[in-house]
Amino acid sequence: MSVEERVIEIVCEQMDVPKDQVTRDTHFTNDLHADSLDTVELVLEFEEEFDITIPDDESEKIQTVGQAIDYIEQHSHAKSDKDDAVA
Amino acid sequence: MNQSRRVVITGMGVVTSLGDQLDQFWSGLCAGRSGVGPLTLFDVSEFKVRFGGQVNDWDAAARFGGKEARHLDRFAQFAMAAAISAVEDSGVDFSRFRPDRCGVFIGSGIGGLNEFETQHTTMMQKGPSRISPFTIPKLMVNAASGQVSIKFGLQGPCSAVATACASAANAMGDAYKMIQTGWADLMITGGSEAAITHMGLGGFASMRALSTRNDDPPRASRPFDRDRDGFVLAEGAGVLVFELEDQARARGARIYAEVIGYGMSADGWHITAPDEEGRGAARAMVRCLEDARTAPDAVQYINAHGTSTPLGDLAETRAMKQVFQGHARKLQISSTKSQLGHLLGASGGVELIASALAIHRGVLPPTINLDNPGEGCDLDYIPLTAREAQVDHVMSNSFGFGGHNASLLIRRYK
């Protein structure tokens, strides 16, 4: 499963919304009515699922599904392992 | 005191080991069924006590949706389910009420112990950064009251009482006073508890407070019996709708009973053991009768605290004799804990519901497992089988660790 599919699955599960209502453009607060605790919980779920740590100042910038996918793709272990191998 | 503002019970909801429907709960009680059995909520094989009164087949996601269920600890889920049932049962339509005249007082002895343990485990295994942002709003003891007020949009008095096993009784007594003294016209009130967890079970077992009758769980809770050996840990919720009588009558509500008295006291004695003479419990009962301006000999049935501990049942019996004197022999008494086990901070809620149904339906539930009365336990505890009886005045007692004593008096509505 791609990062995008996994992120959308987590968002649907956490926010109780069907998959057809979630795209890359979906905004957690404006579209899914996530409150401040929901958004923190979403970030924790991403960290758990992708085995990464998202610093607070970075997590505050993740407001849409697309931003989450991009951040995870840039920082996930699979990626950094590959970078290490290349280096 | 404004005695012209009468308070009545118009709705009731339960979550118990004997079911989450009022009729199912009541028919189970009257049939003398036990809700106590082996614990399966987690692996209890290492524990000294391996049985209790657990709520089986609880599917919170199916009731509330996945997101809401995840954001409520089990104790708040029970409170929410019982509150929704009570409101439905009352027929109240909150859109027709002033929200600032309606409130919520739901007590709990411990609060969100499941959440506390789950998050503590997460923290130890994965570090503090993985602690859920919902940890505190789920575990706090007022989460049940807060969440129920949000659910129904109620904006009046809202609080949570934590007096251990007297929590629900104190919450309901306080709620009654809120309406009687004019702070509110309607209160959702009672108690909820979900402390069958590693720490809850282990902690109570460590105190030697629990029955260890692992080989025969349904027979373990035996209040006032010679062979009682401790209480049985149980979980659930009992929530009621208390309403200003004028308002309830005006909307044609079904009225189960009227709340007429509340008394509370402290033993000032020991953090867990009762005053052996039952003096604190007696003071609560006397205050309750005074508050109700009712003579002791008017009381016909007492739903006792009756936890099945050696000291507690004897102390309560002594207290009843002090308060009721010669009339004590005519009292009909039973302990609902003989069937449900001890719901701790929720017990007063389900027991006031049993008390109101006793009046409303003309049946007194029994004390099951009372085969041989214990020494000094020589009153009429309605042993083994339910009894048909028309009773007009019923008292419900609740006592808690810390030395808290609370008594409520209800009467047939006329």
Side-chain angles (χ1 to χ4, degrees):
Chain A
M1 211 191 299
S2 70
V3 168
E4 176 164 334
E5 286 169 325
R6 285 155 76 191
V7 165
I8 288 175
E9 195 160 90
I10 289 169
V11 171
C12 292
E13 166 82 23
Q14 293 294 309
M15 299 304 297
D16 258 358
V17 286
K19 274 192 181 158
D20 59 11
Q21 284 181 27
V22 178
T23 67
R24 285 186 66 93
D25 295 331
T26 301
H27 192 285
F28 298 133
T29 308
N30 298 344
D31 297 323
L32 301 180
H33 311 293
D35 63 22
S36 60
L37 300 181
D38 292 326
T39 52
V40 174
E41 193 181 42
L42 271 173
V43 168
L44 279 179
E45 289 297 320
F46 297 148
E47 289 183 327
E48 182 75 24
E49 172 71 16
F50 298 103
D51 195 18
I52 55 173
T53 301
I54 307 176
D56 287 354
D57 55 344
E58 293 291 334
S59 71
E60 282 161 17
K61 294 177 200 157
I62 300 173
Q63 296 179 0
T64 67
V65 171
Q67 287 166 348
I69 293 165
D70 291 344
Y71 184 92
I72 292 160
E73 283 182 337
Q74 284 160 26
H75 295 84
S76 74
H77 266 263
K79 176 93 176 181
S80 58
D81 287 348
K82 201 161 50 181
D83 288 347
D84 290 345
V86 170
Chain B
M1 187 65 62
N2 183 352
Q3 295 285 352
S4 66
R5 287 177 61 90
R6 297 169 65 186
V7 180
V8 293
I9 300 168
T10 57
M12 308 196 289
V14 293
V15 174
T16 72
S17 59
L18 284 176
D20 61 3
Q21 302 297 313
L22 209 53
D23 283 332
Q24 186 187 22
F25 163 76
W26 182 243
S27 60
L29 284 187
C30 292
R33 273 200 285 281
S34 171
V36 177
L39 290 176
T40 58
L41 292 171
F42 56 96
D43 179 7
V44 294
S45 57
E46 297 288 310
F47 287 77
K48 200 161 54 183
V49 175
R50 298 181 291 279
F51 64 96
Q54 72 180 28
V55 173
N56 288 308
D57 306 319
W58 182 254
D59 187 347
R63 280 174 186 264
F64 308 118
K67 186 175 175 222
E68 186 176 342
R70 268 203 322 282
H71 294 170
L72 299 173
D73 180 85
R74 187 172 171 92
F75 101 99
Q77 293 171 1
F78 290 163
M80 183 66 80
I84 290 169
S85 298
V87 168
E88 280 174 8
D89 187 49
S90 74
V92 163
D93 172 3
F94 282 116
S95 69
R96 303 171 75 93
F97 287 72
R98 265 180 59 182
D100 63 331
R101 298 293 301 166
C102 302
V104 187
F105 282 4
I106 295 175
S108 182
I110 305 183
L113 197 52
N114 284 277
E115 179 67 9
F116 200 112
E117 292 179 23
T118 302
Q119 295 301 326
H120 185 261
T121 302
T122 299
M123 183 190 73
M124 296 305 281
Q125 290 174 348
K126 297 176 179 172
S129 66
R130 292 292 166 88
I131 295 171
S132 163
F134 289 94
T135 305
I136 303 299
K138 280 176 76 175
L139 70 82
M140 59 194 193
V141 79
N142 56 308
S145 286
Q147 292 283 6
V148 169
S149 76
I150 293 162
K151 172 78 180 174
F152 294 106
L154 309 185
Q155 299 167 357
C158 188
S159 184
V161 179
T163 49
C165 306
S167 299
N170 280 134
M172 296 183 299
D174 296 350
Y176 154 63
K177 289 296 172 192
M178 283 288 117
I179 299 174
Q180 191 187 50
T181 57
W183 286 57
D185 299 330
L186 182 149
M187 295 293 296
I188 297 175
T189 184
S192 185
E193 202 79 74
I196 304 180
T197 68
H198 294 84
M199 293 302 294
L201 182 64
F204 283 114
S206 173
M207 295 172 69
R208 314 287 190 272
L210 300 179
S211 168
T212 56
R213 198 179 287 262
N214 288 300
D215 58 345
D216 196 5
R219 308 271 294 160
S221 187
R222 38 196 322 116
F224 308 108
D225 186 80
R226 186 185 63 194
D227 299 318
R228 66 190 188 276
D229 71 328
F231 76 82
V232 172
L233 188 60
E235 61 174 0
V239 176
L240 303 88
V241 174
F242 283 8
E243 203 171 342
L244 183 65
E245 187 250 0
D246 293 348
Q247 172 183 294
R249 193 161 31 85
R251 70 179 183 86
R254 175 210 35 227
I255 294 171
Y256 288 106
E258 179 178 1
V259 185
I260 61 167
Y262 172 42
M264 67 188 290
S265 73
D267 275 2
W269 176 263
H270 186 272
I271 196 68
T272 55
D275 174 335
E276 286 181 13
E277 297 304 317
R279 286 168 291 209
R283 274 196 299 281
M285 287 186 253
V286 168
R287 294 278 174 278
C288 178
L289 291 164
E290 288 172 354
D291 184 53
R293 300 179 184 182
T294 298
D297 61 7
V299 177
Q300 294 147 299
Y301 169 63
I302 296 183
N303 190 292
H305 185 58
T307 58
S308 185
T309 60
L311 288 179
D313 295 356
L314 185 59
E316 186 174 10
T317 297
R318 286 174 173 160
M320 290 188 284
K321 288 179 182 173
Q322 284 168 51
V323 174
F324 293 96
Q325 303 284 322
H327 181 66
R329 304 270 164 204
K330 294 182 196 155
L331 287 170
Q332 302 181 84
I333 301 158
S334 65
S335 170
T336 303
K337 293 184 183 76
S338 65
Q339 295 167 262
L340 298 177
H342 193 345
L343 279 74
L344 309 178
S347 61
V350 296
E351 289 163 19
L352 193 69
I353 290 171
S355 301
L357 288 171
I359 292 175
H360 199 244
R361 304 204 179 166
V363 182
L364 307 180
T367 303
I368 66 166
N369 299 324
L370 179 45
D371 299 323
N372 302 290
E375 193 181 337
C377 296
D378 52 357
L379 299 176
D380 174 7
Y381 305 104
I382 316 177
L384 307 181
T385 50
R387 194 179 290 169
E388 285 189 21
Q390 295 299 312
V391 290
D392 291 336
H393 289 82
V394 171
M395 183 177 276
S396 178
N397 284 338
S398 296
F399 314 129
F401 286 165
H404 308 280
N405 307 294
S407 295
L408 289 156
L409 191 67
I410 60 175
R411 75 175 169 203
R412 181 180 301 280
Y413 175 69
K414 284 172 187 159

